[in-house]
Amino acid sequence: MKLTEILKKDALSLSFEVFPPKTDSDFESVRAATEKIARLLPAFVSVTYGAGGGTSKYTLEIAKNIRDSVGVPTLAHLTCVSSTRETVRQKIADMQKAGIENVMALRGDLTPELEKSDRSRWAYRYAVDLIREIKESGADFCIGGACYPEIHPESADRREDILHLKEKADAGCDFFTTQMFFDNNLLYNFLYKIREAGITLPVIPGIMPITRAGQVARAIKLSGSFMPQRFKSLVDKFGSSPAAMKQAGIAYATDQIIDLYANGVKNVHVYTMNNPDVAEQIQRNLSDILG
Ligand code: FAD
């Protein structure tokens, strides 16, 4: 099912993100964990392309397995920045052949090697180039793009960030998913600004339950996220006790999701880090809200 259909519905929904295995020998355990997450029957499951420590090799296989074994719609991520046109075209063809309906079109992060290389030689510089490539291929995918309530770290300012987001919308994106954030006011402010700029596409907020103190530094590095005092106090108090930190992190994420729903957001995406237990607890906390 295309995500555009899911996003049209007037019901609240939760979706989950998983990542593919880091090594070939991890494949079975990751397949089992991601299948378990899918069996919670979220609105859809997204499968990253190389992010979060996974390789890009198994994105399609994990996405297909979830769809075929559990029947939950999937969103397969694809990045372009370090790829040749042949590779990207082949990936698009492989996805079509596998019956994939939803693709998250991303640029990918710049490695230090890429930063140093000659950008004029890159086949794709930005995610918008990948969106155009997909459109030109004639593949009938529902296309997602990334957005950043706290501005992408490479953008000079909010105006520039929104300008480039609008380019992705105009190129054929069907919806956006946000980078993680820990203060919902950042999301509400961002939504106001993009609507003002004429971007009307659905935006799915991405929520990351921080269940280990060690994840905090990585979250800040990845997203440059602002950590509200309430969240910092929680990590200070419970960070050294794994069970307490997990419970407090899940409660914080649950609270964020409830506030989003209460303020008119319908769809929320949870970065599960391949942890079925965390996904299950969040879903259980919201059982009467999700209905
Ligand atoms: P872009 O939209 O290309 O934006 C990157 C930067 O370039 C921004 O600062 C933007 O303002 C600027 N820009 C865009 N167009 C132009 C232009 N025409 N001229 C000048 N500047 C421009 N990474 C992975 O490797 N695998 C994944 O699976 C993955 N999944 C993700 C899912 C989500 C929801 C999010 C938020 C991020 C994900 N990422 C993933 C990380 C992502 O690849 C990085 O954040 C990356 O740095 C930017 O990707 P993008 O698609 O947003 O790029």
Side-chain angles (χ1 to χ4, degrees):
M1 184 193 275
K2 285 199 177 164
L3 298 201
T4 30
E5 292 308 309
I6 296 169
L7 298 175
K8 257 190 233 159
K9 290 186 188 161
D10 207 23
L12 299 180
S13 79
L14 210 54
S15 51
F16 295 136
E17 179 176 288
V18 300
F19 55 81
K22 292 187 177 86
T23 59
D24 294 350
S25 58
D26 286 341
F27 182 81
E28 254 323 295
S29 61
V30 171
R31 189 198 56 71
T34 54
E35 205 177 297
K36 208 166 168 189
I37 288 170
R39 289 201 187 281
L40 296 167
L41 304 182
F44 67 91
V45 174
S46 73
V47 186
T48 68
Y49 190 80
T55 74
S56 52
K57 197 165 132 189
Y58 291 116
T59 299
L60 206 50
E61 270 176 72
I62 296 287
K64 265 192 329 186
N65 178 59
I66 288 170
R67 184 199 59 195
D68 297 342
S69 61
V70 192
V72 164
T74 53
L75 168 65
H77 292 203
L78 181 62
T79 66
C80 60
V81 71
S82 52
S83 302
T84 62
R85 283 201 188 275
E86 295 72 57
T87 310
V88 166
R89 286 177 182 161
Q90 187 58 52
K91 289 280 174 194
I92 294 171
D94 291 347
M95 286 181 173
Q96 276 185 294
K97 201 166 153 217
I100 294 291
E101 293 181 284
N102 306 294
V103 175
M104 185 77 176
L106 299 143
R107 184 195 68 179
D109 277 322
L110 300 182
T111 58
E113 293 73 48
L114 276 169
E115 293 265 17
K116 279 184 247 145
S117 69
D118 176 2
R119 294 180 188 217
S120 66
R121 300 173 74 108
W122 296 358
Y124 307 94
R125 288 185 72 163
Y126 303 108
V128 70
D129 302 325
L130 175 59
I131 296 166
R132 291 185 183 128
E133 180 78 66
I134 293 172
K135 285 289 177 190
E136 275 165 29
S137 76
D140 182 26
F141 295 137
C142 163
I143 304 174
C147 65
Y148 303 84
E150 293 176 79
I151 304 178
H152 186 272
E154 290 163 43
S155 294
D157 53 32
R158 163 118 27 228
R159 195 198 59 82
E160 186 190 303
D161 205 53
I162 293 181
L163 188 83
H164 297 312
L165 193 64
K166 178 93 169 53
E167 284 169 1
K168 293 201 274 194
D170 293 344
C173 234
D174 294 295
F175 68 93
F176 293 114
T177 306
T178 77
Q179 181 59 281
M180 67 184 88
F181 55 90
F182 299 95
D183 177 348
N184 287 0
N185 287 323
L186 294 164
L187 189 269
Y188 302 137
N189 187 30
F190 171 72
L191 288 176
Y192 179 80
K193 298 274 186 218
I194 66 166
R195 299 307 182 215
E196 204 179 37
I199 301 172
T200 56
L201 292 179
V203 173
I204 311 178
I207 296 294
M208 166 81 128
I210 298 286
T211 55
R212 284 180 289 111
Q215 287 174 312
V216 177
R218 184 170 157 73
I220 295 176
K221 184 166 173 265
L222 264 178
S223 64
S225 298
F226 163 70
M227 295 283 167
Q229 189 52 47
R230 196 164 79 83
F231 185 77
K232 281 190 202 150
S233 313
L234 178 154
V235 179
D236 285 347
K237 178 80 182 165
F238 304 115
S240 55
S241 160
M245 185 62 224
K246 185 173 172 192
Q247 194 168 44
I250 289 173
Y252 190 93
T254 304
D255 202 36
Q256 269 194 287
I257 298 171
I258 291 173
D259 180 72
L260 289 168
Y261 286 154
N263 281 283
V265 169
K266 282 194 312 178
N267 315 94
V268 177
H269 199 51
V270 178
Y271 298 116
T272 68
M273 304 304 287
N274 286 6
N275 194 328
D277 187 37
V278 171
E280 199 266 332
Q281 285 190 48
I282 290 201
Q283 201 182 49
R284 188 164 4 105
N285 288 348
L286 298 166
S287 58
D288 286 339
I289 290 171
L290 288 166

